[in-house]
Amino acid sequence: MQARMQSPADADVMAAVKGLYKAMYSGGVDPRVLELVHLRASQINGCSACVFAGIDSARKHGESDERLHSVAAWRETPFFTEAERAALALTEAATRIQDGAPGVTDEIWAAAAEHFDERQLSAVILDIALTNFFNRINHTIREQAGKTW
């Protein structure tokens, strides 16, 4: 099997993605919150590769199985803080924009702004956007959970 050669464009893309992740993680948000955001958006989009990788990454950041198993039903569980709930609500609203979904309402935004400053909100929004970006790439190329990463 021949090894895949990286083109200069591949290196440019990877450098850009690394820069976005660096900016996101320097936004002052607890990495576990970012992991929950990533997981919830990936669940909504049905991206098995990102759900798989997200759970693995969240565990490495100290997240419990109890909470990870409850992310899809976060509203009905006692396991999440008000800040985490605000981030998850923002994630759902920003991710579910198809078919006339209302998107991020003033109420959802205000709840998030109560718990996160402007820099932190930017990091959460960047996490949501990057997750949706990778979910769509993985859907397009039919990436399978655990196959390559």
Side-chain angles (χ1 to χ4, degrees):
M1 179 174 211
Q2 186 176 16
R4 179 175 174 263
M5 298 293 292
Q6 276 198 333
S7 73
D10 290 341
D12 290 345
V13 169
M14 289 308 298
V17 168
K18 286 179 183 179
L20 289 169
Y21 273 100
K22 182 179 179 182
M24 182 182 73
Y25 280 107
S26 69
V29 179
D30 181 340
R32 292 189 327 158
V33 171
L34 295 174
E35 296 295 345
L36 295 173
V37 164
H38 172 81
L39 179 57
R40 186 65 192 123
S42 298
Q43 289 172 334
I44 292 167
N45 290 324
C47 182
S48 67
C50 285
V51 168
F52 182 88
I55 288 171
D56 185 55
S57 182
R59 283 183 177 140
K60 288 177 183 173
H61 281 99
E63 195 55 77
S64 71
D65 284 342
E66 180 178 57
R67 285 169 39 100
L68 290 172
H69 290 301
S70 300
V71 170
W74 62 270
R75 285 181 178 86
E76 290 79 30
T77 68
F79 306 130
F80 302 99
T81 68
E82 289 303 313
E84 290 166 338
R85 290 175 186 283
L88 290 166
L90 182 62
T91 301
E92 288 185 359
T95 299
R96 290 187 163 134
I97 57 174
Q98 76 291 350
D99 301 326
V104 179
T105 64
D106 290 343
E107 180 181 76
I108 291 169
W109 183 261
E114 282 182 35
H115 299 283
F116 302 99
D117 65 25
E118 188 174 317
R119 185 169 165 239
Q120 292 169 323
L121 275 172
S122 294
V124 172
I125 293 166
L126 183 56
D127 189 17
I128 295 166
L130 283 171
T131 299
N132 278 279
F133 172 75
F134 283 113
N135 290 167
R136 280 153 180 77
I137 289 172
N138 287 332
H139 179 76
T140 301
I141 64 171
R142 297 182 178 167
E143 184 69 30
Q144 294 178 352
K147 185 175 178 189
T148 58
W149 50 280

